[in-house]
Amino acid sequence: MIFQQNFLIYDIETGGFSATKNPIMEFAMIALNHNLEEKERLEFFVKPYDDLIIEVGALKANGIPIQKVSDEGIDIKEVVQKIEFFIKKYTNKGIGKKPVLIGHNIKKFDNKFLTFVFKKFEKDFESYFSNFIDTMEWGRWKYGYKEILANFKLGTCCAKEDISIPNAHRAMNDTEANTKLFINYMNSLRSGVLGVREEVKNSRSNFYF
């Protein structure tokens, strides 16, 4: 049986480091099928909400004008609706029906913002997914045991895989780069390069993760 799991890679740009004090400013997501083929993209700006504060330091990092998110952004209720619709579109029936969510440092950062926003509308963000893959963790597993790196930020991990990030710290640009990074990691894992024993690799020739 082939395990046909969909993958959703995403990134957000925020107005600071706190999900309860700083808003999401920009969202981007890319959908991949179980063969790691891109199927669709979603991106938009988010209007300021709940009088949350956009920090000066965040604006310097992402370079997004406040006026742009105000003029072109969508309301926070529509944000939740769009993301929910996109997730359900890539939710299958049967085994592996829920997609896997992927991002860089999502477990400690990005997921907290979406959990907070979804909770405003009595929805559980993390319940939409079967699992979570944090490519920062995967970078630590791949490089950390044998090399001393300054950090495991997205740019550092991408550089190790010869992946460039033009105009970094914008949601879709970072999502595109992280999608390439994730595909590299997955191809290495599926081919046994990341230390998977040969007998294990062969016994799981029809297994997709």
Side-chain angles (χ1 to χ4, degrees):
M1 178 184 294
I2 293 179
F3 195 67
Q4 296 188 337
Q5 185 84 64
N6 290 320
F7 302 96
L8 300 179
I9 302 95
Y10 89 102
D11 183 69
I12 56 174
E13 295 303 323
T14 69
F17 296 111
S18 172
T20 59
K21 297 178 181 179
N22 310 118
I24 297 170
M25 298 178 66
E26 188 178 27
F27 176 92
M29 180 173 277
I30 293 177
L32 303 180
N33 65 12
H34 64 284
N35 286 323
L36 307 180
E37 299 164 335
E38 182 176 330
K39 305 302 294 183
E40 192 175 358
R41 296 183 175 204
L42 176 69
E43 64 176 318
F44 48 77
F45 289 112
V46 181
K47 284 186 181 296
Y49 53 93
D50 294 354
D51 296 322
L52 300 184
I53 299 170
I54 297 177
E55 307 286 354
V56 174
L59 295 177
K60 288 181 179 179
N62 60 44
I64 304 172
I66 294 180
Q67 194 62 44
K68 193 173 186 68
V69 296
S70 297
D71 293 344
E72 301 179 21
I74 61 176
D75 182 76
I76 195 63
K77 183 177 182 179
E78 187 178 357
V79 167
V80 171
Q81 291 172 340
K82 278 183 174 290
I83 296 174
E84 183 179 41
F85 180 81
F86 195 83
I87 295 168
K88 288 183 176 180
K89 190 173 182 178
Y90 292 95
T91 300
N92 299 324
K93 295 181 180 179
I95 296 176
K97 63 180 181 178
K98 291 183 179 181
V100 175
L101 186 68
I102 299 101
H104 202 80
N105 198 30
I106 58 171
K107 291 182 179 180
K108 292 185 177 180
F109 189 76
D110 304 65
N111 283 2
K112 292 182 179 181
F113 283 81
L114 289 177
T115 295
F116 174 76
V117 167
F118 269 63
K119 191 174 181 180
K120 285 170 53 65
F121 301 96
E122 300 181 347
K123 298 177 184 292
D124 180 0
F125 174 68
E126 295 195 346
S127 70
Y128 292 86
F129 306 97
S130 64
N131 210 333
F132 305 91
I133 293 175
D134 196 319
T135 49
M136 176 178 279
E137 291 181 349
W138 282 28
R140 291 181 187 277
W141 296 337
K142 184 171 184 179
Y143 311 120
Y145 80 98
K146 63 178 180 179
E147 299 179 55
I148 299 176
L149 299 182
N151 55 63
F152 291 90
K153 294 179 180 179
L154 180 61
T156 305
C157 291
C158 283
K160 292 292 296 182
E161 299 287 325
D162 295 320
I163 298 169
S164 62
I165 314 179
N167 196 15
H169 300 297
R170 289 298 302 273
M172 184 53 78
N173 296 335
D174 286 0
T175 300
E176 285 180 344
N178 200 30
T179 298
K180 294 176 183 177
L181 182 67
F182 170 67
I183 290 173
N184 280 10
Y185 288 166
M186 285 296 288
N187 285 335
S188 295
L189 183 63
R190 289 177 175 180
S191 66
V193 172
L194 292 183
V196 179
R197 296 193 308 273
E198 189 68 25
E199 63 269 23
V200 174
K201 182 188 72 173
N202 290 338
S203 69
R204 301 176 67 185
S205 58
N206 289 327
F207 180 78
Y208 284 80
F209 181 78

